[in-house]
Amino acid sequence: MKRSDLPEGAGPAEPTAATAATARSRHGRLGALLAAVACCLVGASFTANSVLGDYPLAGGQALRYGLACVLLLPLAARGGPVRAPLRALSGRQWGRLAALAAVGMVGFNLAVLAAEGSAEPAVPGVFVGCAPVAVAVIAPALDGRRPAPAVVAGALSVAAGAFVVQGWGRTDTAGLLWSLGALVGEVGFAVLAVPVLRPLGPRLLSAAACGLAAVESALLGLVLDGGGWLRTPDGGEAAALLWQGVVVTVVGFVCWYVGVQRIGAERATLFSGLIPVSAAATAPLVGTGGYGPAQAGGSLLVGLGVALGSGVLGTASGRSAAAVQDDGGDGRGVVDHADTAAAGEADQPGPGDHGPG
């Protein structure tokens, strides 16, 4: 058959559709991978936290986030001028950024430390492990959508796996309340960022949030610790702060928000179940814990939940290419909830879907 005998447009249509589907699949897989990397880095950071037990908390956060901001600003500038997007933010968006830094960064770390003052570390860990369930319900509600069943089921499996990995421990009312505060911080870190991720992009958003968190930490340190809020760290503390500032914050935050940008906050938060898995896997390296059958079984539950909810099992249908928009042509596209709402309600989520934050 001659090409001229084919219906007009029939030749290129199928390969074009196949190419677009492949591109969307790769787009989603990369987002999932980056979210997983970010959460594994955060899990490993808990091992580094054991070295900072005697260092002023607020001062340590100020150093960590201040260093991260200094390193992130040149990276953000590579994508274009940074002043214009920041100046274009409304007062409400700046408020969201400040809340993101206060709740999801400074507040989260304070809540975890306070919880561990009257409860065993596993208790706040179990609460934080419930973040995927909370985000799977809250994020679609904020968009006027129904939660995607597959994402909720995956989140429940992730939460159960996190519980099995960590177990439960001694606590009191204060420990429970501070652990609940840690859960609020973890949820806020994902949900509060979504409205400002589109105009800023992952790198500039991370830089701005770190700058605000550094200022907030410094002010908090002055209030709580006075002149002792900051001191020169010793060798071990300096190494831990560098790890947290450079690797966990600069690399981890950018990876996290690129993941949120590509697969949505609901699916990205599923990977937070890897935080206790990573912490348990690295704890034996410094003699602060072990990795046994319970940790292995919990890790399998987390992996199953992530695979089910994120769509990496390949059982889901793809979403429209229009669901990811690129603002300004600078690669700062973000999942568009409205475009994916109908697909998320009708089908299982695919690798690049944003079915139900």
Side-chain angles (χ1 to χ4, degrees):
M1 177 181 295
K2 296 180 180 179
R3 184 176 181 84
S4 59
D5 295 333
L6 293 173
E8 184 178 355
E14 292 185 359
T16 299
T19 301
T22 301
R24 290 195 299 270
S25 179
R26 290 176 179 173
H27 187 88
R29 284 198 299 268
L30 179 58
L33 175 62
L34 292 174
V37 168
C39 291
C40 286
L41 290 176
V42 172
S45 75
F46 287 119
T47 303
N49 285 342
S50 62
V51 182
L52 297 170
D54 296 327
Y55 195 84
L57 174 63
Q61 290 193 82
L63 286 178
R64 168 190 176 179
Y65 291 127
L67 173 62
C69 180
V70 170
L71 296 176
L72 281 164
L73 281 174
L75 294 176
R78 294 177 60 184
V82 298
R83 292 184 180 180
L86 291 175
R87 288 176 177 174
L89 292 180
S90 65
R92 184 174 183 179
Q93 288 174 318
W94 275 110
R96 282 185 175 274
L97 270 177
L100 169 63
V103 175
M105 297 163 68
V106 180
F108 171 79
N109 292 325
L110 283 173
V112 170
L113 183 70
E116 291 180 352
S118 58
E120 294 182 7
V123 179
V126 168
F127 272 78
V128 172
C130 295
V133 181
V135 174
V137 175
I138 293 174
L142 293 175
D143 282 339
R145 297 178 287 114
R146 291 179 295 176
V151 177
V152 174
L156 290 171
S157 179
V158 167
F163 176 82
V164 173
V165 168
Q166 298 169 109
W168 187 253
R170 172 192 56 82
T171 187
D172 56 14
T173 302
L176 291 174
L177 291 176
W178 282 115
S179 297
L180 180 61
L183 170 61
V184 172
E186 181 71 10
V187 173
F189 187 68
V191 175
L192 289 172
V194 172
V196 287
L197 179 56
R198 181 185 297 277
L200 296 182
R203 289 175 292 184
L204 186 52
L205 169 59
S206 299
C210 285
L212 289 171
V215 173
E216 292 170 353
S217 296
L219 294 175
L220 186 64
L222 288 171
V223 172
L224 296 180
D225 302 321
W229 75 279
L230 190 65
R231 65 170 172 81
T232 302
D234 61 30
E237 291 169 340
L241 288 170
L242 282 172
W243 167 266
Q244 289 191 336
V246 178
V247 180
V248 178
T249 307
V250 174
V251 178
F253 278 28
V254 173
C255 287
W256 170 255
Y257 285 125
V258 172
V260 171
Q261 187 183 59
R262 288 172 176 259
I263 64 175
E266 291 111 308
R267 289 180 172 81
T269 308
L270 289 170
F271 290 90
S272 65
L274 297 176
I275 293 176
V277 172
S278 177
T282 56
L285 299 178
V286 293
T288 59
Y291 193 88
Q295 286 72 33
S299 300
L300 289 176
L301 276 175
V302 169
L304 176 62
V306 168
L308 174 63
S310 66
V312 299
L313 291 177
T315 59
S317 61
R319 59 181 170 83
S320 168
V324 174
Q325 299 178 354
D326 183 31
D327 297 314
D330 58 0
R332 292 175 178 169
V334 65
V335 172
D336 190 320
H337 302 275
D339 288 344
T340 58
E345 293 174 1
D347 302 310
Q348 295 282 346
D353 290 352
H354 187 61

